[in-house]
Amino acid sequence: MKVTIIYDNETWQPGLEAAWGFSCLVEANGQRLLFDTGGRGAILLQNLETLNLDPQSISEIFISHDHWDHLGGLADLLRLNRDVRVYLPRSCSRPPEAREVISVQGPLEISENFFSTGELPGAEQSLVVKTEKGLAVICGCSHPGVGAILAAASAFGEVKALVGGLHGFKEYEVLADLALICPCHCTQHQAEIMARYPETAVTGGAGKVLEVS
Ligand SMILES: [Zn+2]
Ligand SMILES: [Zn+2]
């Protein structure tokens, strides 16, 4: 499975625009799921184009939580692809442009490879992706807390990778068993995570591609 960061506070690849927010494309078994949509539709669509990723090829959109920097680009994307299925946490209001919305409350199987932790306290869901080497967890801002997210994801198997915004997270020892950590977006203590896990932690940024298989 492959994760391409489309929208982030920083850029990794020249030519892409950085802005506060998060979005990444997750590909597994030929299925393309867009996790969150960043803050501004124009930047999301521009970065997708620069990365040669066709919005029409996305079959699912997964929104982590109801904050502007994660669903701000949703309406613009839906204008280009109305046939996409949108997975929203239950606390999120339904976007009028969407044809098919799945309101997520508890843990949910989306497909053979994709699962949701369900909406955790903190009004946020995280994506769980099954790979041959274990699970990869993609999170938006980690408002429920990284420990709670990893615990919920563990219901689906052994977590091996974590990608996304970790906010003010500081309980670094919960990352000890992971093979890949990509703390990006709103992560406040990225430098400490990188220093503590130099072999497994990597920086994010728009254009960064992570392969987990
Ligand atoms: Zn955020
Ligand atoms: Zn947030």
Side-chain angles (χ1 to χ4, degrees), residues 65 67 69-70 141 143:
H65 65 302
H67 280 171
D69 54 330
H70 296 262
C141 282
H143 296 299

Side-chain angles (χ1 to χ4, degrees), residues 5-187:
I5 299 181
I6 311 292
Y7 200 115
D8 196 5
N9 302 30
E10 320 256 326
T11 45
W12 173 261
Q13 188 181 307
L16 295 172
E17 196 168 335
W20 185 279
F22 187 64
S23 174
C24 64
L25 186 75
V26 189
E27 296 171 77
N29 253 342
Q31 193 180 2
R32 279 186 159 178
L33 176 149
L34 188 73
F35 178 95
D36 285 347
T37 60
R40 287 178 50 200
I43 296 176
L44 176 77
L45 298 181
Q46 180 64 52
N47 282 356
L48 279 169
E49 197 183 318
T50 306
L51 289 164
N52 247 325
L53 297 168
D54 180 5
Q56 306 266 9
S57 69
I58 296 165
S59 51
E60 275 84 26
I61 297 177
F62 183 102
I63 297 294
S64 63
H65 65 302
D66 193 0
H67 280 171
W68 69 273
D69 54 330
H70 296 262
L71 49 67
L74 181 59
D76 282 354
L77 193 89
L78 287 170
R79 249 170 248 132
L80 295 182
N81 180 356
R82 293 208 61 187
D83 295 323
V84 69
R85 196 177 285 148
V86 184
Y87 290 84
L88 290 173
R90 203 174 61 126
S91 58
C92 231
S93 52
R94 190 191 168 97
E97 302 84 356
R99 273 196 192 133
E100 195 177 354
V101 173
I102 286 120
S103 181
V104 180
Q105 186 174 8
L108 178 75
E109 178 176 346
I110 294 170
S111 66
E112 209 186 319
N113 294 87
F114 295 129
F115 301 82
S116 168
T117 56
E119 187 183 63
L120 301 179
E124 182 171 337
Q125 62 172 340
S126 297
L127 179 72
V128 182
V129 190
K130 264 194 187 159
T131 80
E132 275 166 26
K133 288 206 182 131
L135 305 176
V137 175
I138 322 282
C139 54
C141 282
S142 299
H143 296 299
V146 174
I149 291 170
L150 293 178
S154 298
F156 300 103
E158 196 185 353
V159 179
K160 282 297 182 192
L162 177 67
V163 180
L166 308 186
H167 223 291
F169 165 75
K170 273 179 154 180
E171 299 79 42
Y172 307 121
E173 59 286 349
V174 309
L175 307 177
D177 294 332
L178 301 180
L180 174 69
I181 311 155
C182 180
C184 49
H185 175 41
C186 58
T187 307

